[in-house]
Amino acid sequence: MTMTSASNISMHDAMPKTAAPARTVRDLRLDFFRGLAMFIILMAHTPGNFLTSWIPARWGFSDATEIFVFCSGMASAIAFGRAFDTVGWTLGSARVGFRVWQVYWAHVGLFFATLALTVFLTDLDITTRNYWGQLNLWPIFVESDKWENANILLSFMTLRYVPNYFDILPMYMIVLVMMPVLMALSRVHVGLVALAVVGTWIMAQSGFSDVTSIGFPAEPWTERQWFFNPFGWQLVFFTGFAFMRGWLPKPPVHPILIGLTLFIVLANIPLSNIGVREFGLDWAREWRIDNKVWIDKSDFGLLRYVHFLSLAYLCWVAAGDKGNRLLATGHGLAARIWGKLLPIILKVGQQSLAVFVVSMFTARVMGFALDMLGRDTLTSLAVNAVGAGVLIATAYVAGWFKSQPWRQKRGA
């Protein structure tokens, strides 16, 4: 080693560590709550699953869908917003377009895989149910000859035929397509972004006037629209996006704000499914019918937004700065168990697209298993546990492939 190189090494070692670029610390709350949403979505889509009666959606206006879309907005701000910042609007838009392409083929693959599964299950000698009929896929098997001008498969591939069970990914695609437009508006003024997002949401609300709201037709032969109207749901997506981009400031942790949001969440319970079903509150049932526009899931009613933001704020406060309260502390049994569970939930949240697609497929298998094995409590819990295991395995396998281990150099 020469004196010059030795000197260089000494100078390098003496440099303060702060001279290196700071590594971005990922907020645990994003992956944690998105991971929880994946498990809830699995349970919610399993036919005849008794756990569905007690998921968060039954306690208030909002549900796991809001969690998934909001956290997806936050994750998109990290993944795609950074691309717009570093390589410009054109390549940033291309990055978004590539993601839309991936989601599109995930949607197509999920549909045909589930279609094949339901046909197979229906044809089994041990079954007495029509599993493709449960998904309202009659136009494909029975009624397609009635629609002279509708090619069913072509309509599906062009998103003009969107069955209800397969509607969340198309919604996600449209919201992603809106991102480059909003990023362009943000370069002029962030206020234009807010105006565009709120204005689009208002135009999506079919109950505000007699004028038909903006949306997409779900099938060529009727006037039915997509169940998840992307122009309504973009509001919660871009709220998460705006928080992560810094367009919206972090809300302060204040007793008054905590008390207000807690009141909103608790006040939701009597008006929720639980209130109507368990407490027999007839006035709450009538209120829900009379005020459907405010809690409508398709167009994303305003009270769903208020309830979700209140619940999200309480969870954000409870989890602590960057989720530090989620980390296991202490040496007791509960802390050790939580220390094992947390990384699993985070992994599921990190691989949300792959996990979501597999969960929608797995939910149909779980429904079949419950039909065959029965729906007593122990059997139902066992089937749900197996389904959760499938999601966990999917997350770790997807993470392994994304790490591209074949590109890593072998150690010396």
Side-chain angles (χ1 to χ4, degrees), residues 218-351:
E219 50 198 21
W221 48 86
T222 71
E223 295 182 356
R224 183 176 71 87
Q225 293 193 337
W226 290 9
F227 180 79
F228 287 105
N229 187 340
F231 301 114
W233 279 86
Q234 54 85 30
L235 176 64
V236 69
F237 178 92
F238 286 114
T239 300
F241 190 92
F243 274 122
M244 192 58 70
R245 287 289 295 174
W247 296 344
L248 289 175
K250 292 182 180 179
V253 179
H254 193 279
I256 294 180
L257 193 53
I258 293 174
L260 175 62
T261 52
L262 183 60
F263 171 79
I264 292 174
V265 170
L266 293 178
N268 258 241
I269 296 177
L271 297 171
S272 69
N273 178 274
I274 292 291
V276 173
R277 188 185 76 220
E278 298 297 323
F279 305 144
L281 302 177
D282 292 335
W283 65 269
R285 180 183 294 104
E286 294 175 1
W287 185 93
R288 290 176 66 91
I289 295 173
D290 294 339
N291 296 276
K292 182 179 181 298
V293 62
W294 300 104
I295 59 176
D296 182 65
K297 187 168 184 176
S298 292
D299 295 334
F300 191 58
L302 181 61
L303 290 184
R304 296 183 67 93
Y305 186 59
V306 173
H307 176 259
F308 171 75
L309 289 182
S310 299
L311 187 60
Y313 175 77
L314 292 175
C315 292
W316 179 76
V317 171
D321 185 44
K322 295 202 177 292
N324 56 47
R325 292 199 189 101
L326 296 173
L327 299 174
T329 57
H331 303 284
L333 178 61
R336 291 198 298 270
I337 293 175
W338 182 246
K340 298 292 184 181
L341 286 178
L342 180 61
I344 295 174
I345 298 173
L346 296 177
K347 178 63 72 172
V348 171
Q350 291 165 4
Q351 307 299 332

Side-chain angles (χ1 to χ4, degrees), residues 58-108:
R58 305 295 178 250
W59 297 88
F61 299 141
S62 66
D63 57 32
T65 310
E66 278 86 353
I67 301 174
F68 175 72
V69 176
F70 180 80
C71 290
S72 294
M74 296 178 67
S76 295
I78 298 173
F80 308 125
R82 187 175 301 164
F84 282 98
D85 294 336
T86 57
V87 297
W89 186 88
T90 301
L91 290 180
S93 300
R95 174 72 178 87
V96 173
F98 180 67
R99 185 58 170 176
V100 173
W101 178 253
Q102 291 175 316
V103 175
Y104 172 79
W105 286 110
H107 167 66
V108 171

Side-chain angles (χ1 to χ4, degrees), residues 2-13:
T2 63
M3 183 66 69
T4 301
S5 60
S7 175
N8 289 340
I9 293 174
S10 298
M11 291 175 61
H12 179 270
D13 293 340

